[in-house]
């Protein structure tokens, strides 16, 4: 652009930049502006070149910042006007991206502070004064940029033809930004990540979403709430003709159908999932609309796929996906409707071929898989608690559970029942001789394995019964003494207590919750779930061992009643029963089972509540997304204090 060109290394000595950053006032009609905007230098195309650009312009930026605070509010207002008022065309696409990026940079002082900023220059100008009237318009524009996912124009389509030597202000502004950003867009971003990011389909949508999340998570000012969060909390559907209450500031309307479609399509990114969480949690209008949709699978399936590929996702993304499910399962209508949606050939689910399954059964399978992954890998109590809460919310509305889903509910519970007994065995009897018993039986020809199974089952039943009787008398004291005894036997070399001892309480909590989930299904929808009864009967021996456990006795009453009732009917029907015949007997027995014999328990209901001071989690998370995902922006990693560079 223009006839003047330079290298990055020449920028500190550039006369136009010196004048721009100086103290001398420059008239808006001064030819200086055309001369400045006709100056060019090679666009940075890598994080290394962006770093060089930053270092080369430090002196200019410092000079520009001095004594210019009175102009900063005007600059921010002009950026907001540029974002909201300039129509999106091929020739303005890159200008819009640059204006949004500049806003992000203006707010990025948070990156260089370890503590969350509660008073800053961004609060001063964005929360009051001249910028405040643009709040709802800015939020609406950023949302529509996300919804539309506009791709950048092809090379050449966005550059003005030069009208005269040197060009005018409009020519310099448009083509200057275009020249500098086009290479960045096609490279997919040149942040400080070691690996090149994949090409972004819509840099404008990406930058808009990041800015929206940053604005939404600004802390409240000392004397006023965050107006951008207020706007996000209160906007309505364009089809909603009811008036806004006078008490709601910064209100606006947007097309909910378009927003829902965009959210469903974009859930592969952290920032889109975070936006979905923000809207579901904070905007009751959006939540009501989404829960009323008849195509809920369009939203739920992408969320389930995030959880299914938990190994490939960062922990924050998994948390957001899981909390979204928890919020959805707070609604009984959602819990009923997901069992009515039948899916075919879920290709990304690889454990088993699922040719046909309800959305509800698939949700159960994925959540249980997530719990199992967490218990064996990350061991995060917060994660498994929220997984179990989602299952508990659904349990009273379980309907026509898929055979595999019913099997996984029971088998996962049994896995922890066995693990619990195993941990107790190690705590009370650390020098067990079970391996010797197994060796003896293995030498007894072909019948040895069957004899071992029968004998161990009998021993375990007797052993568990005696152990649980002991626990029922002095449960906490005995457990503490056993733990101290084990710790004492290991203290010679200061060896830490084994994981199995530390995990005992967690395992007990998981068992208790899984038993409550099974009980809730049996007491509320037994007649809808013969596959669950079948799976329960198949594993009845293990459940029977826990009838006397002090922590599970109450909840085991109904489960024990169901097991005994249906087991007696199966015994009456004779031996060698096929699976089909067993299911037929179960379906017939459901009608005959006296429901009044099942003990009533309080309904299982859990509601998501944000932790106190949620900004301590969300602000570092949002800025980590900006750092890793923003197009064409570079921050020196050594200067960042808000989060560690190996952070998710």
């Amino acid at each position: 652009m223009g006839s003047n060109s330079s290298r990055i290394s020449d920028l500190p000595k550039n006369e136009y930049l010196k004048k721009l950053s100086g103290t001398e006032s420059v008239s808006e009609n001064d030819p200086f502006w055309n001369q400045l905007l006709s100056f060019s230098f090679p666009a940075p195309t890598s994080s290394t070149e962006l770093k060089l650009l930053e270092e080369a312009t430090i002196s200019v930026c410092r000079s520009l910042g001095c004594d210019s605070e009175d102009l900063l509010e005007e600059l921010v207002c002009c950026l907001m006007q540029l974002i909201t008022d300039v129509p999106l065309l091929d020739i303005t696409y890159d200008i819009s991206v640059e204006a949004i990026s500049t806003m992000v940079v203006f707010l990025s002082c948070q990156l260089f502070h370890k503590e969350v900023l509660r008073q800053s220059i961004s609060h001063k100008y964005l929360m009051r004064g001249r910028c405040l009237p643009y709040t709802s318009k800015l939020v609406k524009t950023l949302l529509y940029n996300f919804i539309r996912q506009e791709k950048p124009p092809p090379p050449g389509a966005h550059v003005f033809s030069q009208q005269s030597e040197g060009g005018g202000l409009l020519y310099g502004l448009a083509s200057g930004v275009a020249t500098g950003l086009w290479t960045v867009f096609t490279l997919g971003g040149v942040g400080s990540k070691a690996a090149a990011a994949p090409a972004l389909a819509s840099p404008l949508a990406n930058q808009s979403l990041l800015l929206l999340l940053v604005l939404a998570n600004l802390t409240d000012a000392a004397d006023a709430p965050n107006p951008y969060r207020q706007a996000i909390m209160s906007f309505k559907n364009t089809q909603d003709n009811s008036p806004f209450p006078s008490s709601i500031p910064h209100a606006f309307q947007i097309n909910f159908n378009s927003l829902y479609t965009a959210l469903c399509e974009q859930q592969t990114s952290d920032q889109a999932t975070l936006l979905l969480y923000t809207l579901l949690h904070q905007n009751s209008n959006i939540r009501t609309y989404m829960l009323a949709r008849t195509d809920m699978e369009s939203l739920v399936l992408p969320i389930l796929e995030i959880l299914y590929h938990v190994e490939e996702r960062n922990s924050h993304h998994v948390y957001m996906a899981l909390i979204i499910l928890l919020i959805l399962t707070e609604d009984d209508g959602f819990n009923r409707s997901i069992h009515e949606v039948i899916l075919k050939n879920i290709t990304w689910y690889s454990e088993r071929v699922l040719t046909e399954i309800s959305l509800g059964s698939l949700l159960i399978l994925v959540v249980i898989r997530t719990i199992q992954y967490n218990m064996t890998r990350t061991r995060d109590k917060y994660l498994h608690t929220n997984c179990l809460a989602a299952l508990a919310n659904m349990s009273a509305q379980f309907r026509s559970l898929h055979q595999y889903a019913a099997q996984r509910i029971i088998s996962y519970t049994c896995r922890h029942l066995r693990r619990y007994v195993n941990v107790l065995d190690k705590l009370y009897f650390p020098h067990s001789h079970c391996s010797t018993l197994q060796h003896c039986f293995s030498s007894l020809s072909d019948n040895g394995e069957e004899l071992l199974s029968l004998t161990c089952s009998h021993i375990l039943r007797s052993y568990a019964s005696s152990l649980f009787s002991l626990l029922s008398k002095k449960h906490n004291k005995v457990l503490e003494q056993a733990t101290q005894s084990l710790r004492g036997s290991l203290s010679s070399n200061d060896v830490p207590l084994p994981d199995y001892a530390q995990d005992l309480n967690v395992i007990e909590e998981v068992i208790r919750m899984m038993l409550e989930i099974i009980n809730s299904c049996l007491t509320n929808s037994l007649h809808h779930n013969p596959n669950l009864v079948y799976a329960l009967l198949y594993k009845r021996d293990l459940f029977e061992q826990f009838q006397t456990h002090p922590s599970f006795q109450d909840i085991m009453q109904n489960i024990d009643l169901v097991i005994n009732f249906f087991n007696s009917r199966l015994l009456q029907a004779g031996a060698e029963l096929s699976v089909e015949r067993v299911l037929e007997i179960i379906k017939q027995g459901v009608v005959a089972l006296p429901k009044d014999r099942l003990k009533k328990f309080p309904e299982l209901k859990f509601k998501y509540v944000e932790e106190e001071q949620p900004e301590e989690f969300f602000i570092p998370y949002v800025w980590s997304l900006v750092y890793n995902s923003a197009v064409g922006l570079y921050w020196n990693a050594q200067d960042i204090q808000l989060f560690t560079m190996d952070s998710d």
Side-chain angles (χ1 to χ4, degrees):
M1 73 180 178
S3 57
N4 299 317
S5 62
S6 181
R7 296 171 299 178
I8 290 178
S9 58
D10 296 330
L11 292 179
K13 298 174 287 186
N14 186 286
E15 293 300 322
Y16 299 110
L17 292 180
K18 285 184 177 180
K19 187 172 182 178
L20 176 69
S21 60
T23 57
E24 182 183 348
S25 177
V26 182
S27 167
E28 62 182 30
N29 298 318
D30 195 303
F32 160 80
W33 296 110
N34 282 345
Q35 295 166 347
L36 172 69
L37 294 170
S38 68
F39 208 93
S40 68
F41 60 90
T45 58
S46 68
S47 59
T48 301
E49 292 180 2
L50 279 170
K51 184 177 180 181
L52 290 174
L53 177 62
E54 179 196 33
E55 293 171 347
T57 54
I58 285 177
S59 60
V60 174
C61 291
R62 285 176 177 169
S63 177
L64 186 63
C66 293
D67 302 321
S68 300
E69 190 169 321
D70 55 331
L71 296 175
L72 190 53
E73 184 176 19
E74 185 172 351
L75 171 63
V76 174
C77 285
C78 287
L79 288 171
M80 295 174 84
Q81 286 179 310
L82 190 59
I83 294 168
T84 58
D85 295 346
V86 174
L88 186 60
L89 306 169
D90 282 354
I91 59 175
T92 61
Y93 187 98
D94 299 331
I95 299 174
S96 297
V97 175
E98 187 72 358
I100 292 168
S101 298
T102 305
M103 286 283 290
V104 172
V105 172
F106 170 68
L107 292 160
S108 67
C109 55
Q110 174 66 79
L111 280 171
F112 311 108
H113 293 80
K114 193 175 181 108
E115 304 297 325
V116 170
L117 293 178
R118 301 181 186 279
Q119 288 185 343
S120 68
I121 198 166
S122 59
H123 286 77
K124 179 179 179 180
Y125 294 128
L126 288 173
M127 303 248 184
R128 60 178 69 82
R130 292 174 55 192
C131 295
L132 193 60
Y134 293 99
T135 296
S136 59
K137 199 171 183 181
L138 178 62
V139 172
K140 183 176 182 178
T141 300
L142 295 175
L143 276 173
Y144 267 125
N145 286 346
F146 168 73
I147 289 170
R148 290 168 179 149
Q149 294 290 315
E150 291 283 355
K151 297 180 180 180
H158 55 305
V159 179
F160 287 98
S161 58
Q162 191 169 354
Q163 299 298 318
S164 61
E165 182 65 27
L169 175 61
L170 184 59
Y171 167 79
L173 183 60
S175 61
V177 171
T179 302
L181 292 181
W182 176 250
T183 306
V184 173
F185 291 164
T186 54
L187 287 176
V190 292
S192 59
K193 299 178 291 296
L200 286 171
S202 177
L204 177 63
N206 182 72
Q207 303 293 84
S208 297
L209 178 52
L210 292 173
L211 176 57
L212 180 63
L213 292 173
V214 169
L215 292 171
N217 285 280
L218 289 173
T219 56
D220 294 337
D223 56 349
N226 179 345
Y228 305 94
R229 186 182 302 119
Q230 287 183 315
I232 286 173
M233 291 173 63
S234 59
F235 71 83
K236 300 193 304 184
N237 195 351
T238 50
Q239 297 180 354
D240 187 345
N241 296 319
S242 61
F244 282 103
S246 57
S247 59
I248 297 180
H250 316 300
F252 64 92
Q253 291 178 288
I254 205 166
N255 188 306
F256 277 14
N257 182 63
S258 299
L259 178 58
Y260 179 82
T261 301
L263 286 167
C264 293
E265 292 174 349
Q266 300 299 320
Q267 285 307 304
T268 53
S269 74
D270 282 68
Q271 47 265 41
T273 304
L274 181 54
L275 175 63
L276 174 58
Y277 158 80
T278 302
L279 296 177
L280 271 176
H281 178 56
Q282 298 185 3
N283 190 313
S284 59
N285 300 320
I286 280 282
R287 185 167 58 253
T288 300
Y289 173 84
M290 289 186 176
L291 289 170
R293 294 281 303 205
T294 57
D295 61 342
M296 184 57 72
E297 67 275 14
S298 300
L299 184 68
V300 175
L301 280 174
I303 298 300
L304 294 183
E305 196 166 354
I306 293 170
L307 294 176
Y308 185 78
H309 296 293
V310 59
E311 303 93 337
E312 304 167 13
R313 305 290 183 181
N314 69 70
S315 60
H316 290 2
H317 198 183
V318 173
Y319 284 148
M320 290 299 102
L322 181 57
I323 293 170
I324 287 168
L325 286 186
L326 180 56
I327 292 172
L328 293 174
T329 61
E330 293 171 11
D331 183 77
D332 286 341
F334 170 84
N335 295 331
R336 286 190 295 269
S337 65
I338 56 176
H339 293 286
E340 298 168 0
V341 177
I342 304 302
L343 309 169
K344 296 182 183 295
N345 300 317
I346 307 300
T347 55
W348 48 262
Y349 193 94
S350 60
E351 273 83 349
R352 178 171 294 198
V353 177
L354 300 175
T355 55
E356 186 172 290
I357 189 171
S358 70
L359 179 60
S361 289
L362 180 64
L363 195 157
I364 292 167
L365 288 175
V366 173
V367 171
I368 289 178
R369 185 180 185 275
T370 306
I371 305 174
Q372 188 169 336
Y373 174 85
N374 178 63
M375 293 291 286
T376 56
R377 304 282 186 86
T378 56
R379 307 165 78 85
D380 187 323
K381 184 176 180 179
Y382 178 84
L383 186 64
H384 86 247
T385 299
N386 282 282
C387 284
L388 291 169
L391 288 178
N393 284 346
M394 296 168 57
S395 59
Q397 278 82 36
F398 283 171
R399 295 289 188 276
S400 304
L401 290 180
H402 189 278
Q403 177 184 355
Y404 186 46
Q407 176 188 328
R408 293 293 292 127
I409 292 172
I410 300 302
S411 63
Y412 182 73
T413 307
C414 289
R415 176 176 181 171
H416 284 283
L417 292 174
R418 294 191 194 94
R419 191 175 170 199
Y420 187 80
V421 173
N422 184 50
V423 171
L424 285 180
D425 179 60
K426 290 180 179 179
L427 280 171
Y428 286 94
F429 308 107
H431 304 293
S432 176
H433 296 288
C434 288
S435 59
T436 304
L437 179 66
Q438 184 171 359
H439 175 74
C440 292
F441 278 110
S442 65
S443 63
L444 297 179
S445 69
D446 294 338
N447 296 324
E449 184 176 347
E450 182 178 357
L451 185 58
L452 171 64
S453 176
L454 293 171
T455 305
C456 284
S457 177
H458 176 74
I459 292 173
L460 182 60
R461 191 178 294 111
S462 302
Y463 165 73
S465 178
S466 301
L467 191 55
F468 296 157
S469 296
L470 178 66
L471 285 173
S472 65
K473 295 176 182 176
K474 298 180 179 180
H475 178 56
N476 294 328
K477 184 176 180 180
V478 171
L479 186 56
E480 181 182 354
Q481 289 174 346
T483 305
Q484 290 175 349
S485 174
L486 179 60
R487 190 187 297 276
S489 67
L490 297 170
S491 61
S492 57
N493 296 316
D494 294 326
V495 179
L497 195 64
D499 286 343
Y500 58 74
Q502 298 175 19
D503 287 349
L504 190 64
N505 286 335
V506 175
I507 298 171
E508 187 171 310
E509 289 175 6
V510 173
I511 292 173
R512 173 77 192 187
M513 184 64 83
M514 290 302 297
L515 291 176
E516 289 186 348
I517 289 167
I518 295 169
N519 179 73
S520 174
C521 178
L522 295 179
T523 53
N524 291 284
S525 55
L526 177 65
H527 55 295
H528 289 298
N529 294 289
N531 284 328
L532 186 69
V533 177
Y534 181 96
L536 186 61
L537 291 172
Y538 190 77
K539 298 287 187 180
R540 62 183 179 276
D541 286 351
L542 190 55
F543 282 90
E544 288 170 352
Q545 296 162 20
F546 282 77
Q547 294 173 5
T548 58
H549 191 289
S551 297
F552 311 136
Q553 270 183 320
D554 58 336
I555 207 73
M556 281 298 300
Q557 291 180 26
N558 286 341
I559 296 174
D560 186 46
L561 173 66
V562 170
I563 288 174
N564 290 335
F565 176 83
F566 285 99
N567 191 44
S568 66
R569 296 181 75 89
L570 292 177
L571 290 174
Q572 293 172 12
E576 303 295 332
L577 298 175
S578 65
V579 173
E580 292 75 14
R581 177 59 180 149
V582 171
L583 286 171
E584 183 183 345
I585 293 171
I586 290 172
K587 291 175 183 178
Q588 294 171 350
V590 165
V591 181
L593 177 65
K595 303 298 187 296
D596 57 346
R597 292 176 58 190
L598 294 173
K599 181 181 178 181
K600 295 295 182 183
F601 287 86
E603 185 181 14
L604 286 180
K605 274 296 173 186
F606 295 88
K607 185 176 179 62
Y608 169 72
V609 178
E610 279 188 345
E611 299 285 338
E612 292 185 14
Q613 297 184 316
E615 65 274 9
E616 298 292 339
F617 169 83
F618 285 103
I619 289 178
Y621 179 34
V622 168
W623 278 107
S624 72
L625 296 179
V626 174
Y627 177 81
N628 287 299
S629 306
V631 174
L633 295 179
Y634 167 81
W635 288 276
N636 191 331
Q638 296 178 347
D639 295 334
I640 291 178
Q641 299 293 318
L642 183 61
F643 51 83
T644 57
M645 298 315 297
D646 59 350
S647 170
D648 293 328

